[in-house]
Amino acid sequence: MSTLLLRGGRPWGRDEPADIVVEDGGIAAIGPALDVGTDAEALDVADRLVLPGLGDAHCHLDKTLYGDPWVPHPAGDALADRIGTERRRRSELGIPDVERIVALLETMVAAGTTAARSHVDIAPELGLSGVEAVREAIGRMDGRIDVQLVAFPQYGILGEPGTAELMGRALDDGVEAVGGIDPAGMDGDPVRHLDVVFGLAERHGALIDIHLHDGGSLGVWQLELICERTRVSGMQGRVTVSHAYALGQAAVSEQARVAELLHDCGVTITTAAVYDFPVAPVKRLRAAGANVACGHDGIRDLWGPYGTGDMLDRAMHLAYRSTFRRDDDIELALDAATRGGQVALGLRPGAAAGEDAAPIAVGDPGDLVVLRASTPAEAVVTRPPREVVVKGGRVVAREGAVV
């Protein structure tokens, strides 16, 4: 039985220093001056803040150009321009590329990300090449990060014959989640689109994560439709909607109503707070008990040149775009980039209605990040170097470098 002791740090959620014991991959004890015997690996983290492992709940590892020479961004501003540009140029630029994916994963780990969900493009012209490339890269990381894959129909399902069948093959091969994209705006038939997505999930026991860029009343209606499908299929706690721009555009009263519905149906909202696109109302969602996660979206790819792989950066963007200034509000953004992502990926249970889940608790995954900051809010705002990153009780990075 392997044991790691973090001695004397300040775990997020506690006012006083405490030791953290990780045994066999999970947090076994938290408290002052814990006695674990002489066989434990001990790290002195006094005067450091200890956070849960960061979670990137929405990225596209297969698309990345990370680590290679700069590629000027050629696409126009419209969604269709970005999709078309990537579709034309990905072969020319060698996408997907295992070495780039590894370079990005190493950067993510060094910055404290211990779990991620990557949407991987699936279409007849691509086959399962993205799944194969990302899996090879994950294997090279040797357990330093958990990466959950989503079979993602980037170009739609109904208008791309053969895509649904390929998604089924990916799920047969162990891909953990089935994706969707703008059931109305992309495929023009939200009912049939969701029939395919939920049907695949039910047959394969998979999770669901649907990109929803559609705005206005159409987007809100699709959120309601997804919630109803989730309830009827008994998939509460297993469904995520990414982006949900329409929710950020909606009136306050409508946001409150949909937030309650999301909570009741156990649907997570994942936001990346990118560019000037509407941001989901994090504070209102959390007040209703709905789970909120955070991710990068694209990282240096043909969709955009931005992204660092550092989820504290992403949490800062989410807090800033949400106009959070109070420490407790800024912590909501950090919660989305830690606990919220773990819940979305099924790595820990969501809080019961009315409960505030402890950021670090006994029974949680033994994934931790140690850094110098007086409070979690300061960590989000200043993004200090990660001194130690722990994955499942194993030190996987020190001082910004993978070990």
Side-chain angles (χ1 to χ4, degrees), residues 164-209:
E165 291 75 16
L166 276 170
M167 293 166 69
R169 280 179 50 195
L171 295 166
D172 281 336
D173 197 37
V175 166
E176 296 91 343
V178 56
I181 181 170
D182 294 329
M186 175 71 78
D187 268 349
D189 191 336
V191 174
R192 285 180 59 212
H193 186 102
L194 294 179
D195 283 344
V196 173
V197 171
F198 277 83
L200 285 168
E202 290 171 11
R203 286 194 296 276
H204 294 272
L207 302 171
I208 290 175
D209 194 326

Side-chain angles (χ1 to χ4, degrees), residues 3-8 19-22 34-37 40-45:
T3 302
L4 175 69
L5 170 65
L6 298 185
R7 179 75 78 187
D19 298 344
I20 302 175
V21 177
V22 182
L34 295 176
D35 183 6
V36 294
E41 178 185 0
L43 297 177
D44 182 359
V45 296

Side-chain angles (χ1 to χ4, degrees), residues 23 25 34 61 69 77 80 89 114 116-117 121 129 135 144 147 181 201 203 223 231 266 268 274 290 341 358 363 380:
E23 290 183 347
L34 295 176
L61 295 173
D77 293 335
R89 297 201 63 192
T114 57
R117 170 179 282 178
D121 289 359
S129 59
R135 279 193 168 154
R144 292 177 175 85
V147 182
I181 181 170
R203 286 194 296 276
L223 272 175
R231 185 188 62 79
T268 288
V274 292
V380 171

Side-chain angles (χ1 to χ4, degrees), residues 100-181:
R100 295 168 182 153
I101 299 168
V102 170
L104 177 52
L105 285 172
E106 289 179 341
T107 295
M108 293 166 71
V109 169
T113 294
T114 57
R117 170 179 282 178
S118 178
H119 298 256
V120 180
D121 289 359
I122 290 179
E125 67 204 64
L126 305 175
L128 301 183
S129 59
V131 173
E132 294 161 0
V134 175
R135 279 193 168 154
E136 183 176 342
I138 295 168
R140 293 196 198 176
M141 295 305 297
D142 190 28
R144 292 177 175 85
I145 182 172
D146 291 325
V147 182
Q148 186 181 90
L149 301 188
V150 182
F152 177 49
Q154 175 69 86
Y155 310 134
I157 298 175
L158 305 181
E160 294 283 330
T163 297
E165 291 75 16
L166 276 170
M167 293 166 69
R169 280 179 50 195
L171 295 166
D172 281 336
D173 197 37
V175 166
E176 296 91 343
V178 56
I181 181 170

Side-chain angles (χ1 to χ4, degrees), residues 86-314:
E86 181 192 61
R87 201 167 191 173
R88 289 191 303 272
R89 297 201 63 192
R90 61 186 300 149
S91 178
E92 166 201 343
L93 293 169
I95 299 169
D97 181 85
V98 174
E99 299 300 331
R100 295 168 182 153
I101 299 168
V102 170
L104 177 52
L105 285 172
E106 289 179 341
T107 295
M108 293 166 71
V109 169
T113 294
T114 57
R117 170 179 282 178
S118 178
H119 298 256
V120 180
D121 289 359
I122 290 179
E125 67 204 64
L126 305 175
L128 301 183
S129 59
V131 173
E132 294 161 0
V134 175
R135 279 193 168 154
E136 183 176 342
I138 295 168
R140 293 196 198 176
M141 295 305 297
D142 190 28
R144 292 177 175 85
I145 182 172
D146 291 325
V147 182
Q148 186 181 90
L149 301 188
V150 182
F152 177 49
Q154 175 69 86
Y155 310 134
I157 298 175
L158 305 181
E160 294 283 330
T163 297
E165 291 75 16
L166 276 170
M167 293 166 69
R169 280 179 50 195
L171 295 166
D172 281 336
D173 197 37
V175 166
E176 296 91 343
V178 56
I181 181 170
D182 294 329
M186 175 71 78
D187 268 349
D189 191 336
V191 174
R192 285 180 59 212
H193 186 102
L194 294 179
D195 283 344
V196 173
V197 171
F198 277 83
L200 285 168
E202 290 171 11
R203 286 194 296 276
H204 294 272
L207 302 171
I208 290 175
D209 194 326
I210 299 171
H211 283 56
L212 186 58
H213 311 95
D214 288 341
S217 59
L218 179 63
V220 171
W221 175 72
Q222 288 175 88
L223 272 175
E224 295 170 329
L225 190 61
I226 291 166
C227 285
E228 177 62 14
R229 287 293 185 98
T230 301
R231 185 188 62 79
V232 169
S233 63
M235 290 195 64
Q236 292 91 334
R238 298 178 60 80
V239 176
T240 296
V241 176
S242 288
H243 303 312
Y245 295 152
L247 190 55
Q249 296 169 324
V252 170
S253 59
E254 193 164 34
Q255 289 179 345
R257 178 182 63 79
V258 176
E260 293 287 350
L261 180 62
L262 291 163
H263 167 256
D264 292 345
C265 295
V267 175
T268 288
I269 294 294
T270 295
T271 182
V274 292
Y275 301 100
D276 64 347
F277 297 126
V279 178
V282 175
K283 198 170 181 178
R284 192 159 289 114
L285 288 165
R286 293 297 296 123
N291 187 52
V292 179
C294 182
H296 265 90
D297 204 2
I299 303 174
R300 295 194 196 171
D301 56 28
L302 289 173
W303 282 65
Y306 297 100
T308 65
D310 183 348
M311 279 304 296
L312 279 186
D313 277 350
R314 212 64 254 154

